[in-house]
């Protein structure tokens, strides 16, 4: 089954404790992206990657890191999480190039709470 | 700053009626337009996409695009309570990242 898989689905942790949210897709998509979603603010892009070893900042990259060492994986790293990073996070992927014609497929989301 | 604007709602319609959701965008270079449905706490799910001016129909859903007015809409015919969700409009230009609106919350009253 074609899918984008995020782990963990839920996480409660404390300020300053490094964490990684994994994202993996099995559709051979070149493009992958991370979003956070907060009430009243909609989906905001954190980072995106157009291919292996190519990453770019989105609208809200502060406090986050990503890496794209393999085509299928795009982990999101919070080196020193803070309470303002409490949010619902989504990973998404699509084909690229011809990216403009390709919809994004979303993972099920990770609900992150930083105390 | 590229912007995609949607009325946050809630938009309430009775069961069986037509729900009309609207979206405007600021980037005249936008080429691709997507509508996603998102149930509370769930991930966005693609329901329609449109690239050319005019209407595109898929079952009970019709997407309408007017590039001159920078306007895209989604019509849902014979609305059902299961259509109650937040609808996200997303727009993209070339190979730049997708830009999402904040969504319109639709409530279909049985």
């Amino acid at each position: 089954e074609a899918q984008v898989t995020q782990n963990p689905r839920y996480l409660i942790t404390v300020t300053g404790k490094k964490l990684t949210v994994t994202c993996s897709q099995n559709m051979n998509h070149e493009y992958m992206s991370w979003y956070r979603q907060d009430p009243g603010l909609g989906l905001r892009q954190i980072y995106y990657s157009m291919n292996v070893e190519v990453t770019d900042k989105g609208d809200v990259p502060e406090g986050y890191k990503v890496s794209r060492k393999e085509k299928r994986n795009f982990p999101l790293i919070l080196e020193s999480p803070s309470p303002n990073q409490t949010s619902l996070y989504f990973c998404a992927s699509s084909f690229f190039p011809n990216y403009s014609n390709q919809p994004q497929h979303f993972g099920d989301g990770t609900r992150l709470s930083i105390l | 700053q590229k912007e995609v604007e949607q009325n946050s709602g809630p938009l309430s319609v009775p069961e069986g009626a037509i729900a009309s959701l609207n979206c405007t965008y600021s980037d005249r270079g936008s080429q691709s337009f997507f509508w996603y449905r998102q149930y509370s706490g769930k991930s966005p799910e693609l329901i329609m996409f449109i690239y050319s001016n005019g209407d595109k129909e898929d079952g009970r859903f019709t997407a309408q695009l007017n590039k001159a007015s920078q306007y895209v809409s989604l019509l849902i015919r014979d609305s059902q309570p299961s259509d109650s969700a937040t609808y996200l409009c997303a727009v993209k230009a070339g190979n730049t990242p997708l830009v999402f609106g904040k969504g319109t919350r639709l409530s279909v009253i049985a």
Side-chain angles (χ1 to χ4, degrees):
Chain A
E1 180 188 350
Q3 59 186 4
V4 179
T5 303
Q6 295 179 227
N7 279 297
R9 293 290 315 282
Y10 305 92
L11 179 63
I12 301 174
T13 188
V14 295
T15 299
K17 185 177 181 183
K18 180 180 178 180
L19 67 92
T20 299
V21 185
T22 63
C23 175
S24 180
Q25 49 90 9
N26 63 0
M27 295 169 279
N28 203 33
H29 286 165
E30 294 87 357
Y31 181 91
M32 298 186 75
S33 178
W34 276 104
Y35 297 89
R36 61 177 290 174
Q37 189 173 38
D38 304 286
L41 298 178
L43 275 169
R44 294 182 292 168
Q45 191 173 48
I46 303 170
Y47 270 96
Y48 63 97
S49 168
M50 292 192 179
N51 214 325
V52 176
E53 301 293 0
V54 179
T55 62
D56 282 292
K57 295 178 180 178
D59 297 321
V60 288
E62 295 77 20
Y64 303 95
K65 285 175 57 177
V66 292
S67 69
R68 188 86 183 276
K69 293 184 172 58
E70 305 167 278
K71 196 173 188 179
R72 63 182 291 126
N73 296 323
F74 191 45
L76 179 69
I77 303 157
L78 285 71
E79 293 270 6
S80 183
S82 62
N84 65 10
Q85 293 177 298
T86 293
S87 187
L88 178 58
Y89 291 84
F90 289 105
C91 180
S93 70
S94 73
F95 285 112
F96 180 90
N98 295 322
Y99 167 54
S100 64
N101 294 335
Q102 299 296 329
Q104 290 191 33
H105 300 262
F106 284 82
D108 288 337
T110 295
R111 190 167 290 281
L112 194 55
S113 295
I114 315 293
L115 305 178
Chain B
Q1 180 79 355
K2 299 172 184 176
E3 294 183 344
V4 177
E5 300 286 341
Q6 296 180 255
N7 189 317
S8 61
L11 172 66
S12 295
V13 300
E15 183 175 1
I18 296 175
S20 177
L21 304 160
N22 304 316
C23 172
T24 59
Y25 58 94
S26 63
D27 184 1
R28 284 198 170 273
S30 299
Q31 300 167 306
S32 308
F33 307 86
F34 304 88
W35 283 99
Y36 286 82
R37 178 178 61 202
Q38 186 177 25
Y39 294 111
S40 182
K42 302 296 185 183
S43 61
E45 170 194 13
L46 181 72
I47 53 173
M48 286 287 290
F49 57 89
I50 186 167
Y51 310 128
S52 305
N53 275 329
D55 295 359
K56 179 181 178 182
E57 187 174 317
D58 183 0
R60 294 188 297 113
F61 299 99
T62 298
Q64 299 176 316
L65 175 61
N66 184 325
K67 289 186 178 180
S69 301
Q70 296 176 240
Y71 176 94
V72 58
S73 64
L74 179 70
L75 302 178
I76 307 174
R77 289 183 299 282
D78 188 24
S79 295
Q80 301 297 309
S82 59
D83 294 326
S84 298
T86 296
Y87 289 80
L88 304 172
C89 172
V91 174
K92 99 179 283 310
N95 287 332
T96 60
L98 204 57
V99 179
F100 282 89
K102 293 180 181 178
T104 297
R105 190 156 56 94
L106 173 67
S107 178
V108 180
I109 313 298

